[in-house]
């Protein structure tokens, strides 16, 4: 069974500094996808970044980068130059790839989340 | 392009009642998934629909059901509501055309069971 672990219930960072949010996962499926989502107090889940299990390079999306260490089964999110608007709950999620007709689909398994607070 | 919409946004029901939540995916998206979010259990997968067929199901009792229509809109139904069903119900749609099939989430329906 898949499992996602986020060990940091809460993190604090000073504005303009970088912060790393930890995520470890466990799966026996050789093909999987790792996602990070941001959930502000409004409740909507906002996609940040994706890493496929066969991707050779770490994913980057603007100020977000994913530190993917496959052997250690970790997929940490790095936010550079933190902004006040980054204050939110952050979720790491994994999708087990089930192939049908050449496309992948499947449920997302989420971690418990990390509350990030950015101080001015 | 409009995002995923969910109606209603807020709902109050009493134990024993039933409820139907609606989700309209992004135009062109044919996959819809539902998740339940509670403070105690976190985010849990309910089910996924694609082309009007349920493709995947989470570990929830039979009181939770869903369906998808030919226009990809989806509904989920919870019968005989229990206090523990109080949660934020999130719907997500996916185009299923890219290699990784990112899921785009709606704003959610917050259900309170009294």
């Amino acid at each position: 069974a898949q499992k996602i672990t986020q060990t940091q219930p809460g993190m604090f960072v000073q504005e303009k500094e970088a912060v790393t949010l930890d995520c470890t996962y466990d799966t026996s499926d050789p093909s999987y996808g790792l996602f990070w989502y941001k959930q502000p107090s409004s409740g909507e889940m906002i996609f940040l970044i994706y890493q496929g299990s066969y991707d050779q390079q770490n994913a980057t999306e603007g100020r977000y980068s994913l530190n993917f260490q496959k052997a250690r089964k970790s997929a940490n999110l790095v936010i550079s130059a933190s902004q006040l608007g980054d204050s939110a709950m952050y979720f790491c999620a994994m999708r087990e790839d089930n192939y049908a007709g050449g496309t992948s689909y499947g449920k997302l398994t989420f971690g418990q989340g990390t509350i990030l607070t950015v101080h001015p | 392009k409009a995002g995923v919409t969910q109606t209603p946004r807020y709902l109050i029901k009493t134990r024993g009642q039933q409820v139907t939540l609606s989700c309209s995916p992004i135009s062109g998206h044919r996959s819809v998934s539902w998740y339940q979010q509670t403070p105690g259990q976190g985010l849990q997968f309910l089910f996924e629909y694609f082309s009007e067929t349920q493709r995947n199901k989470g570990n929830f009792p039979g009181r939770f059901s869903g369906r998808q229509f030919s226009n990809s809109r989806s509904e989920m139904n919870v019968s005989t509501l229990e206090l523990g069903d109080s949660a934020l119900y999130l719907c997500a749609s996916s185009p299923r055309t890219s290699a990784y099939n990112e899921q785009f989430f709606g704003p959610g329906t917050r259900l309170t069971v009294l």
Side-chain angles (χ1 to χ4, degrees):
Chain A
Q2 299 177 61
K3 187 176 180 181
I4 297 282
T5 303
Q6 293 180 254
T7 57
Q8 305 155 315
M11 287 286 286
F12 296 88
V13 65
Q14 207 70 27
E15 193 179 8
K16 299 179 185 177
E17 292 186 348
V19 63
T20 298
L21 306 184
D22 295 342
C23 172
T24 58
Y25 60 92
D26 188 25
T27 181
S28 56
D29 192 339
S31 180
Y32 51 88
L34 295 160
F35 299 78
W36 277 92
Y37 282 88
K38 171 184 176 182
Q39 188 178 42
S41 56
S42 61
E44 188 167 355
M45 299 286 282
I46 301 168
F47 167 77
L48 296 178
I49 198 166
Y50 165 85
Q51 180 86 41
S53 59
Y54 294 117
D55 292 343
Q56 295 295 314
Q57 293 189 320
N58 286 343
T60 59
E61 289 283 351
R63 296 186 298 112
Y64 306 105
S65 60
L66 200 153
N67 184 2
F68 182 46
Q69 298 188 43
K70 194 171 182 177
R72 296 180 61 186
K73 294 189 175 179
S74 75
N76 298 339
L77 176 71
V78 180
I79 305 175
S80 63
S82 297
Q83 302 172 356
L84 296 178
D86 293 336
S87 293
M89 177 76 91
Y90 288 80
F91 289 97
C92 179
M94 179 168 61
R95 188 205 62 236
E96 188 178 52
D97 293 345
N98 300 300
Y99 287 91
T103 59
S104 64
Y105 65 92
K107 71 179 184 181
L108 290 179
T109 300
F110 286 85
Q112 289 298 311
T114 297
I115 299 175
L116 175 67
T117 304
V118 180
H119 289 302
Chain B
K1 209 178 213 183
V4 179
T5 58
Q6 292 187 244
T7 56
R9 292 293 311 277
Y10 302 91
L11 205 50
I12 298 175
K13 291 285 188 180
T14 56
R15 278 182 300 174
Q17 287 187 309
Q18 75 163 14
V19 67
T20 299
L21 311 181
S22 181
C23 171
S24 293
I26 292 172
S27 177
H29 287 194
R30 296 169 62 194
S31 170
V32 173
S33 298
W34 289 89
Y35 295 85
Q36 181 197 64
Q37 185 176 22
T38 60
Q41 298 298 315
L43 277 151
Q44 294 184 287
F45 171 79
L46 281 157
F47 23 66
E48 179 196 9
Y49 286 88
F50 178 73
S51 292
E52 302 177 64
T53 303
Q54 188 179 88
R55 296 305 180 100
N56 210 340
K57 189 177 188 303
N59 188 25
F60 278 82
R63 300 185 297 107
F64 291 81
S65 62
R67 59 177 175 168
Q68 186 181 34
F69 302 95
S70 58
N71 62 357
S72 295
R73 189 178 70 85
S74 176
E75 288 181 347
M76 68 162 281
N77 184 276
V78 188
S79 63
T80 319
L81 283 166
E82 300 177 359
L83 294 179
D85 296 333
S86 294
L88 178 67
Y89 290 88
L90 291 162
C91 164
S93 76
S94 170
R96 271 197 178 210
T97 56
S98 64
Y100 60 87
N101 289 303
E102 171 195 338
Q103 293 198 29
F104 297 83
F105 283 82
T109 293
R110 189 166 294 280
L111 172 65
T112 301
V113 181
L114 303 175

